[in-house]
Amino acid sequence: MLNQKTITLVLVLTVLGLAVCSSGFANEKRSIDGITKEFVPGEDSGFFYTIKKGDTLWDLSQKFYNSEWDWPGLWELNNDIKNPHWIYPGRKIRIFLKERAPLKPKVVEVKKLPKKVPVKVKPSFSFSEMDKVGFIRKSEQESLGEVIKEQDGNLMMSKDDIIYIKPSGEGTLVPGRDYHIFTADKVKEKIDKKTFTGIKHLIKARVKILEHKVSYATAVITHSYRPVGSGDMVMDYFKRDSVLTVEEKPAPIDARIVCSEDNHMMINDYIIAFIDKGKDRVKPGEIYSVLRKNELKDNSLWPQKKTNQQIKLEDLESGKLIVLHTEDISSTVMILSSKYAISPNDMVN
């Protein structure tokens, strides 16, 4: 029979054996580089790491793999993490050693979007002073009143001046409303063996009616384009669109330059002028070439030729213009560029 000492020794050895065996199933915790890592015996491909407050997959990738760009692989190997932007303190994640289990980036299926059909955007032309450009009509615009004088007796009236207006009786000058001050002059030009006639309206200023008395109204000049004088007329204010959609290749027209707004003999860049085609043929925003006839009228260089036949030379392009405003018999244009000085009767096409 076993004595008491023998029984005690067997019990001790049994307990020690169980402890050793059970340690094979327990995780081993070691501190390496100041980081507590929980290793699993028999698993040499990595370890568990307990997430702390402030940790992100980006930071942990930098910490363990020296590259923040490995975070997709870290997410892939911990597929229980649903959202890589949300990891919580106290949760354990598996950190695999790179040499044993290379991290593979998470493959995200990218849906192909339908190709967008490119939209052709037409260029635009902006002119902030569109309201002040004049126009030519067949008949004169009806006047609502006539400028009498400036409050302090100035002969030439300009911005911020207070003026007196005598109503014409053809309409009402409403306090608070804007109106144009204008003049009207007859235009008579010989255009390609024909005579063009019309009434040129020149916009001088914009005014706001202050008060309407029994026999006159007071107004303030809010915008001055040219000096206003006694006898100038009043008409309704009409606002034009200051931005035009440009049409660079409209259908050809056979038009002529009638005159410029201020009767220049030679018309150059940015000068406002008029052509003899109206709204039935052209529209604002269209760009046309200005041409000059290139004629050889003298055949004296060839005396042996006794014919009067002239040599037809190609017309010279002298500039470009854009249509700003259209009326019944004419259109207001701006000269955009000029190689040569442009003159009345030059062709527009």
Side-chain angles (χ1 to χ4, degrees):
M1 292 188 59
L2 297 174
N3 57 26
Q4 187 67 32
K5 280 186 176 182
T6 304
I7 293 172
T8 301
L9 181 59
V10 170
L11 288 173
V12 170
L13 291 173
T14 302
V15 170
L16 289 174
L18 290 173
V20 170
C21 291
S22 64
S23 67
F25 299 97
N27 294 345
E28 179 187 356
K29 293 183 179 180
R30 285 183 280 167
S31 180
I32 301 176
D33 300 330
I35 301 171
T36 301
K37 300 177 180 180
E38 188 175 337
F39 289 85
V40 180
E43 296 284 347
D44 59 355
S45 61
F47 53 88
F48 286 107
Y49 171 79
T50 302
I51 296 170
K52 297 180 178 59
K53 186 178 180 180
D55 281 342
T56 65
L57 291 185
W58 176 284
D59 296 330
L60 295 177
S61 177
Q62 174 65 41
K63 181 184 294 185
F64 293 114
Y65 304 122
N66 198 33
S67 172
E68 62 269 20
W69 300 109
D70 280 331
W71 74 264
L74 190 58
W75 178 28
E76 172 72 17
L77 294 171
N78 288 275
N79 54 17
D80 58 327
I81 298 176
K82 302 304 180 184
N83 188 331
H85 303 292
W86 295 98
I87 57 175
Y88 300 96
R91 184 172 184 170
K92 293 181 181 180
I93 63 171
R94 192 73 173 270
I95 305 295
F96 286 84
L97 299 179
K98 224 174 179 183
E99 62 271 16
R100 294 299 182 92
L103 298 179
K104 297 180 181 179
K106 190 175 183 70
V107 178
V108 180
E109 184 180 354
V110 179
K111 293 182 179 180
K112 291 185 178 180
L113 297 176
K115 290 184 178 180
K116 291 185 178 180
V117 179
V119 178
K120 188 176 180 181
V121 179
K122 287 190 175 183
S124 61
F125 175 81
S126 178
F127 183 47
S128 61
E129 298 180 335
M130 195 74 76
D131 286 347
K132 79 171 191 176
V133 299
F135 53 88
I136 295 178
R137 287 181 182 167
K138 190 173 183 179
S139 55
E140 184 176 324
Q141 170 67 36
E142 188 174 69
S143 174
L144 301 177
E146 181 182 316
V147 176
I148 304 171
K149 60 168 289 189
E150 193 268 337
Q151 188 178 53
D152 297 324
N154 294 323
L155 295 179
M156 294 290 103
M157 309 167 207
S158 58
K159 190 175 184 298
D160 297 328
D161 284 348
I162 304 297
I163 62 175
Y164 298 102
I165 300 173
K166 179 183 177 182
S168 65
E170 298 297 332
T172 305
L173 299 174
V174 181
R177 185 176 293 179
D178 289 342
Y179 294 85
H180 279 311
I181 302 294
F182 75 101
T183 57
D185 296 299
K186 188 174 182 180
V187 174
K188 187 176 182 179
E189 295 286 343
K190 192 163 186 179
I191 302 295
D192 193 29
K193 300 179 181 180
K194 296 180 181 179
T195 301
F196 176 90
T197 58
I199 306 298
K200 180 172 69 173
H201 296 71
L202 196 65
I203 309 296
K204 287 192 166 186
R206 182 170 147 194
V207 300
K208 184 182 291 291
I209 302 298
L210 299 176
E211 191 175 4
H212 200 299
K213 302 287 186 177
V214 176
S215 59
Y216 69 93
T218 59
V220 58
I221 298 177
T222 58
H223 298 73
S224 180
Y225 312 127
R226 297 172 179 84
V228 175
S230 176
D232 289 347
M233 296 176 288
V234 180
M235 68 176 173
D236 285 321
Y237 166 72
F238 49 89
K239 183 172 179 59
R240 300 191 184 112
D241 192 351
S242 62
V243 180
L244 304 175
T245 300
V246 171
E247 180 59 56
E248 296 182 88
K249 296 182 179 180
I253 57 172
D254 182 18
R256 296 291 187 275
I257 300 283
V258 176
C259 62
S260 76
E261 196 173 42
D262 293 308
N263 296 323
H264 296 88
M265 292 297 295
M266 296 297 178
I267 306 169
N268 297 306
D269 297 2
Y270 313 124
I271 287 180
I272 305 299
F274 308 99
I275 62 174
D276 64 345
K277 289 292 184 287
K279 61 181 67 176
D280 60 329
R281 296 295 304 277
V282 300
K283 63 181 181 180
E286 292 180 337
I287 293 180
Y288 294 96
S289 295
V290 182
L291 305 174
R292 173 167 293 177
K293 287 185 179 180
N294 189 14
E295 296 179 334
L296 181 63
K297 298 182 179 180
D298 187 1
N299 285 336
S300 60
L301 294 175
W302 298 276
Q304 68 276 20
K305 298 284 186 180
K306 296 183 179 181
T307 176
N308 290 325
Q309 183 180 1
Q310 296 180 354
I311 298 174
K312 178 66 176 177
L313 300 177
E314 188 176 279
D315 295 327
L316 298 173
E317 183 174 320
S318 53
K320 295 278 189 182
L321 61 78
I322 184 169
V323 179
L324 301 180
H325 174 75
T326 58
E327 290 286 342
D328 48 2
I329 61 170
S330 73
S331 295
T332 308
V333 302
M334 174 189 281
I335 305 301
L336 296 176
S337 63
S338 56
K339 295 179 182 177
Y340 319 106
I342 296 169
S343 305
N345 208 30
D346 276 359
M347 298 177 293
V348 178
N349 204 346

